[in-house]
Amino acid sequence: MAISADSFFWDPTAQGTLQAQIRQMIAEGILSGRFRVGEKLPSSRKLASHLGVSRITITLAYTELLADDYIASKGRSGYYVSDDAPQPPNFKATRTAADTVDWSRALGQRFSGGTPFIKPKDWRDYTYPFIYGQADETLFDSANWRLCALQALGKKDFSSLTTDYYDEDDPKLIEFIARHTLPRRGIIAQPDEILVTMGAQNALWMAAQILLTQRRTAAIEDPCYPSLRDILTQSRCHLAPIPVDRDGLPSEELPPDTDVVFTTPSHQCPTTATMPLSRRQALLARAREDDFLIVEDDYEFEMSFLKSPSPALKSLDQDGRVIYIGSFSKSLFPGLRLGYLVGPKPFIDEARALRSSVLRHPPGHIQRTAAYFLSLGHYDALIRRMGKAYFERRQVMEAALNQHGLDIAGQGVYGGSSFWMRTAPDVDTQTLAERLRSKGVLIEPGAPFFGAETPPKNYYRLAYSSIPASKIEAGVNLLAKTLNSPF
Amino acid sequence: MAISADSFFWDPTAQGTLQAQIRQMIAEGILSGRFRVGEKLPSSRKLASHLGVSRITITLAYTELLADDYIASKGRSGYYVSDDAPQPPNFKATRTAADTVDWSRALGQRFSGGTPFIKPKDWRDYTYPFIYGQADETLFDSANWRLCALQALGKKDFSSLTTDYYDEDDPKLIEFIARHTLPRRGIIAQPDEILVTMGAQNALWMAAQILLTQRRTAAIEDPCYPSLRDILTQSRCHLAPIPVDRDGLPSEELPPDTDVVFTTPSHQCPTTATMPLSRRQALLARAREDDFLIVEDDYEFEMSFLKSPSPALKSLDQDGRVIYIGSFSKSLFPGLRLGYLVGPKPFIDEARALRSSVLRHPPGHIQRTAAYFLSLGHYDALIRRMGKAYFERRQVMEAALNQHGLDIAGQGVYGGSSFWMRTAPDVDTQTLAERLRSKGVLIEPGAPFFGAETPPKNYYRLAYSSIPASKIEAGVNLLAKTLNSPF
């Protein structure tokens, strides 16, 4: 039987070249069992005319399918579905009739119910996206990233791509982090004191698993990164939220039974405060006295475009009490999922074993691509470019916020990518955010950052990492108008 | 001051084009602070002559660095390190003076001490690598994988690459799994019943976290995949190892208090047994009776080159009691780290929340590349090609094993990629493996697969997934000789 050209249709949502789309139509037809072994394909002339493309496009797609044994040619009589083509199974797929399991009983542990994600997925469609932590594609050096990815996919590197590293990392990436990235934060570490993670989130999660138990106490900053609070809640340790001030975490407020402190000294999340040197030294002295450990999340240190960043807290650590977390995800792009843990070998050994059990290792191809992007200097060039753009945006934004009399609660002395904002106490920024959304303005309500049952509702975060400078004035204007109009 | 051409040296281990290596030398010199702002670079003529390359190579590297603001040109007087170049920090990096922490106390939970990885990392350097689970690069379709990766890095797809998916997956990959992959295993599932994981390892780990507690009992096959036993040991549940026979796991041996059964019905690991239909039905009936759940690891079902695979156990599941685990890692390549979980929505919801807490989501670029590779039919073509090669290797191997009188304990009726082997009871295959290693032969001792304190030592696994057919006869010959010579 011949397959009619009429059974081919363009899928309006399909991507890729026309040739690839034609290949895909035929491969899917064979894999799904619609086209069967021995059936004749339409001639290239007929199919070309039906689909409105040139014959050579059809011929090239057929040639590819021929090479992959999906189709075979029989002399001059044309192409047929090959005897060797993948065949559909000889049984029918069925759907589970009914879910009869009592899942409320069957689930041993629950992980859902944490802080919901507050950013709409279609944030790109809003005119004024003052949201945090999404990459601005216009700043990203996609051309060079693509070149590095290609190099990492090349013949020479192919084994780095296919290899099961078991519990190890790409040695090239580890070497770059040890020799270049960490020294810029004042840290010297050996390769066996570094572990690559699936972003900073994964590093925080591992540190919590290794250092905490149900009987231990973790001190966290209040407000803090909501996902950190979720991670610690899941670990069932005791939580001690410590209110931060304009200098970040005050170590004198830590309870005496503290086992682990989670802190963001370079750039407190979300208030943007930077911890002064004296307070860092006090924190380290207190850690020694009370024998606790510190997990330092050094997020966003690269965005220090106003003045040079101070060295990491870890660089002052004389005792090996600080576990350091760095990340390429935020500044490269969040979808990359690449960060790292730095700490004493006994800790890194446990983290390596845990990671191996949970997921083995971050994919080799991504590690190698990042290693090239870093070692060719593209990463630092990108950071400079982003810093310049953020500097401009920040100036425009600060002027607009001041002009409209909006209250800045924190703005980061080194730079960063956001302002921490405050309204009058009776304003609920959740309601404000909803009203703004209908006007194309996205802001982040502040309540999820706080740990209390009844968190303050009059804070919000305004980021400039995803919004172009040209939109900032109008966006802030809309924000001020909405805030000042009766609810 | 001018930077002397003499300070440039080729790194004999460097990769990439000459132009990229020159760029890297200069970028690293600037980033490390060896080359300082305002210093003059050697002329392209001098550097070309010193490094023994053409001037155009130097000029192109300089042009790239110019575009990235590492260097600036001053009219005709040459290139200088730019004022805007990334600058080294103005503090010195220090190393922690001493690790004064008592880590035996500081570690809340330990994860090290599981089954060590038994394969040498340099397995490629051995002549006869009868080892399992490493990709044979000669079979892999690297050209098309590269094309798919390039497409996924293209402008149209760039947002899929950069986006933080939060807790979601690439919709294209989920759609392909739902529409094409699962129906081939007899399974129909909705997108919200599927979650992408970092390989099968990550899927097994998540299932254990969600379904088990310290008070629950997990039944596992004995022997089984050693990493599964490590995962369950870490979860501190009760473990019930059930000896498998030539039909796999006998459900009548399950203890009455079983909460979750972990099984590999298609292809028992490591004995290669396939569970017959009657036993599958008995297992499902028993699960309903005793109200337990089943985690099905459907690994290696694609390698059914001898006869069509039977449908997955999940396809017979009328109650929603089976959690299904599939993986692209083993057949594509282990470094890819891509698998999936299929189960009722209440379970997948928890897995999604757990994954989000642990690592957010598998990197978008890898998901999209796999989606293209699958939907263009390259994956099935690859499976066919691998199946043919494995079929040949298996025939050669079976003949050699029989000719040398070696005892095959299991060999997989559908195909697979390994033989499960047995020696006389007094042989320790660990010692055998060490003796063979010095002769260039790699085999896997069987003891780590068993759960007992004193496991049987006379089993081993011989895989043909990484060894070419031409080497098999000689390798088996060496193995037989060594086995038969006095220890």
Side-chain angles (χ1 to χ4, degrees), chain A residues 23 70 84 112 376-377 384, chain B residues 23 70 84 350 376-377 384:
Chain A
R23 183 196 156 99
Y70 277 78
D84 274 345
S112 56
L376 288 169
R384 298 287 285 186
Chain B
R23 182 196 156 101
Y70 277 80
D84 274 345
E350 293 303 318
L376 287 169
R384 298 285 287 186

Side-chain angles (χ1 to χ4, degrees), chain A residues 261-310:
Chain A
V261 174
F262 288 82
T263 181
T264 49
S266 296
H267 201 123
Q268 206 274 330
C269 173
T271 68
T272 76
T274 300
M275 195 186 282
L277 184 62
S278 59
R279 194 174 264 195
R280 291 175 187 227
Q281 282 163 335
L283 177 61
L284 288 168
R286 180 78 197 275
R288 179 181 296 178
E289 233 164 78
D290 286 8
D291 195 19
F292 61 73
L293 299 175
I294 299 167
V295 177
E296 174 184 24
D297 181 359
D298 195 29
Y299 89 108
E300 234 183 33
F301 76 85
E302 308 97 326
M303 286 300 111
S304 300
F305 46 80
L306 294 174
K307 50 180 183 169
S308 305
S310 50

Side-chain angles (χ1 to χ4, degrees), chain A residues 103-410:
Chain A
W103 285 99
S104 66
R105 203 205 67 86
L107 296 173
Q109 290 177 63
R110 282 172 186 275
F111 301 93
S112 56
T115 316
F117 295 106
I118 43 185
K119 281 161 244 179
K121 275 163 210 150
D122 58 348
W123 64 268
R124 281 185 189 78
D125 300 338
Y126 289 79
T127 315
Y128 309 103
F130 289 109
I131 57 161
Y132 178 84
Q134 291 290 3
D136 184 337
E137 289 163 28
T138 61
L139 296 177
F140 186 67
D141 184 2
S142 53
N144 277 317
W145 179 262
R146 216 171 280 135
L147 284 176
C148 291
L150 254 183
Q151 192 182 342
L153 284 164
K155 278 242 178 298
K156 271 191 190 167
D157 282 317
F158 210 70
S159 72
S160 82
L161 171 65
T162 58
T163 296
D164 187 342
Y165 282 118
Y166 301 112
D167 56 350
E168 309 237 327
D169 285 311
D170 185 344
K172 277 184 189 289
L173 180 59
I174 292 288
E175 191 200 339
F176 192 90
I177 293 171
R179 281 184 49 206
H180 295 277
T181 311
L182 293 175
R184 292 176 78 85
R185 303 301 297 130
I187 300 166
I188 292 188
Q190 300 303 312
D192 60 3
E193 296 170 324
I194 304 168
L195 187 75
V196 177
T197 64
M198 299 290 298
Q201 172 86 19
N202 184 226
L204 284 169
W205 182 86
M206 284 202 277
Q209 308 311 305
I210 293 164
L211 302 177
L212 293 167
T213 67
Q214 295 181 32
R215 290 174 304 283
R216 296 195 175 183
T217 299
I220 54 171
E221 298 168 340
D222 189 37
C224 81
Y225 176 49
S227 290
L228 171 63
R229 196 181 298 108
D230 291 343
I231 285 171
L232 296 175
T233 305
Q234 281 174 14
S235 84
R236 298 192 205 145
C237 68
H238 302 290
L239 262 189
I242 314 293
V244 297
D245 56 29
R246 43 177 304 162
D247 287 338
L249 180 77
S251 61
E252 61 275 18
E253 302 296 332
L254 292 168
D257 60 344
T258 300
D259 293 295
V260 185
V261 174
F262 288 82
T263 181
T264 49
S266 296
H267 201 123
Q268 206 274 330
C269 173
T271 68
T272 76
T274 300
M275 195 186 282
L277 184 62
S278 59
R279 194 174 264 195
R280 291 175 187 227
Q281 282 163 335
L283 177 61
L284 288 168
R286 180 78 197 275
R288 179 181 296 178
E289 233 164 78
D290 286 8
D291 195 19
F292 61 73
L293 299 175
I294 299 167
V295 177
E296 174 184 24
D297 181 359
D298 195 29
Y299 89 108
E300 234 183 33
F301 76 85
E302 308 97 326
M303 286 300 111
S304 300
F305 46 80
L306 294 174
K307 50 180 183 169
S308 305
S310 50
L313 180 68
K314 172 78 184 156
S315 74
L316 304 172
D317 171 29
Q318 289 303 305
D319 298 1
R321 294 195 174 277
V322 179
I323 310 292
Y324 176 89
I325 294 175
S327 168
F328 300 117
S329 294
K330 279 281 183 298
S331 33
L332 277 178
F333 41 78
L336 180 65
R337 314 285 340 123
L338 215 52
Y340 45 93
L341 269 173
V342 182
K345 187 170 177 304
F347 171 84
I348 293 296
D349 285 349
E350 293 303 319
R352 191 183 299 282
L354 173 60
R355 188 190 72 176
S356 172
S357 192
V358 173
L359 59 83
R360 286 275 179 267
H361 58 81
H365 172 58
I366 289 195
Q367 294 199 38
R368 183 56 58 96
T369 304
Y372 283 132
F373 196 78
L374 288 159
S375 64
L376 288 169
H378 296 308
Y379 182 72
D380 288 85
L382 171 67
I383 296 297
R384 298 287 285 186
R385 200 157 44 240
M386 285 172 72
K388 277 184 195 167
Y390 285 14
F391 180 61
E392 186 203 349
R393 293 177 188 180
R394 184 186 158 106
Q395 285 188 309
V396 173
M397 191 137 151
E398 193 172 2
L401 293 174
N402 287 331
Q403 191 201 323
H404 291 281
L406 296 171
D407 185 6
I408 301 172

Side-chain angles (χ1 to χ4, degrees), chain B residues 85-103:
Chain B
Q87 283 177 40
N90 52 7
F91 46 79
K92 279 201 98 166
T94 52
R95 178 155 173 77
T96 298
D99 189 347
T100 63
V101 176
D102 175 5
W103 285 100

Side-chain angles (χ1 to χ4, degrees), chain B residues 26 41-44 47 58-66 71 79:
Chain B
I26 297 170
L41 285 142
S43 71
S44 57
L47 191 53
I58 307 290
T59 307
L60 288 172
Y62 279 7
T63 307
E64 271 190 13
L65 289 161
L66 198 65
I71 63 175
Y79 291 102

